[in-house]
Amino acid sequence: MNRLYNFLILLILLSLNRCHGFTASKQEIVEVVKNSEVSPSDETNNSNSAKNAIYQATSILNRYDQLQMAYMKENPRGMGGGTAALQFLQTVITPQDREEMRSAVITLVNEAHKQRSAKGPDGRIKLGICAENVDEALLGLKTWVPALGLPRGLLHGMDVDGEPIAPEKLGSVYVKYNTGGCMTFSEMRKTGLGFDALWKPGDAVLEMYDGDFRGVYLNVELNDGEFRQFGVLPTDLFLEEEEW
């Protein structure tokens, strides 16, 4: 890639030299091309810097997960500690903690975007939103998805045969969002939509939920093979402070 880039620079400079009165000696042109090169050591440094950023972001989110688990153990409230997990987010996490969380999430998602753009199998991002009601679930989708530059798709599960379901009838809900565009056959059968339920990138499905957890699970698949799932994170993590 660097050689191609340098070759293009050389062609441009030669063209300017011939057609537009741009005066530069061959030696000067060679020096410009040399100065534009990225050395192997620079590429290594960039790679190490990216890996370090991924490691730091992963460590930050893992640390909050561990703190949340410890709080849940000390304050066993709700099914599976779900109520305690929400209390942790509401009473223990500071604005500075939220900013650190946001930065870590963005770092990992940006890396996933890079890997997905390479057309490989990596870089898939999944969200699982546990919400008290439909409005809260939609708040999560409408803030997380644009803030992270994720694809927008269809939201399934809020109607039966084209007839809308009243949000109050659904009660607490769970939303599964996926940038990978996939659904298992068992999941397809569960929706009752047949092949119409096949996911496209950015599609989500809403289901009734009887658990006590409230917040967002984040799963980021990178090419290092490390399992990265975090949560629950605050549903309003990407909501502007003036909107709280």
Side-chain angles (χ1 to χ4, degrees), residues 104-137:
V105 169
I106 289 171
T107 295
L108 294 179
V109 169
N110 284 347
E111 179 62 28
H113 284 325
K114 292 178 184 177
Q115 295 184 14
R116 177 61 69 172
S117 67
K119 306 299 182 183
D122 305 302
R124 182 166 65 167
I125 300 160
K126 294 185 284 187
L127 303 177
I129 303 174
C130 306
E132 184 68 23
N133 49 52
V134 171
D135 287 343
E136 186 177 302

Side-chain angles (χ1 to χ4, degrees), residues 125-130 134 137-142 144-145 150-159 173-183 187 191 193 196-208 216-217:
I125 300 160
K126 294 185 284 187
L127 303 177
I129 303 174
C130 306
V134 171
L138 293 179
L139 171 69
L141 277 178
K142 290 179 178 180
W144 278 69
V145 168
L150 303 177
R152 301 186 187 189
L154 299 176
L155 176 60
H156 303 280
M158 292 191 65
D159 66 89
V173 296
Y174 179 74
V175 175
K176 292 188 289 186
Y177 169 93
N178 195 330
T179 64
C182 69
M183 180 181 282
E187 289 174 325
T191 66
L193 298 174
D196 288 338
L198 281 173
W199 279 13
K200 298 178 179 62
D203 280 359
V205 62
L206 181 146
E207 303 172 346
M208 296 177 70
V216 178
Y217 288 98

Side-chain angles (χ1 to χ4, degrees), residues 19 22 65 98 133 158 162-163 169 179 183 209 222 231 235:
C19 303
F22 177 79
D65 273 2
R98 290 171 62 94
N133 49 52
M158 292 191 65
E163 291 294 325
K169 289 186 177 180
T179 64
M183 180 181 282
Y209 171 66
L222 302 181
T235 302

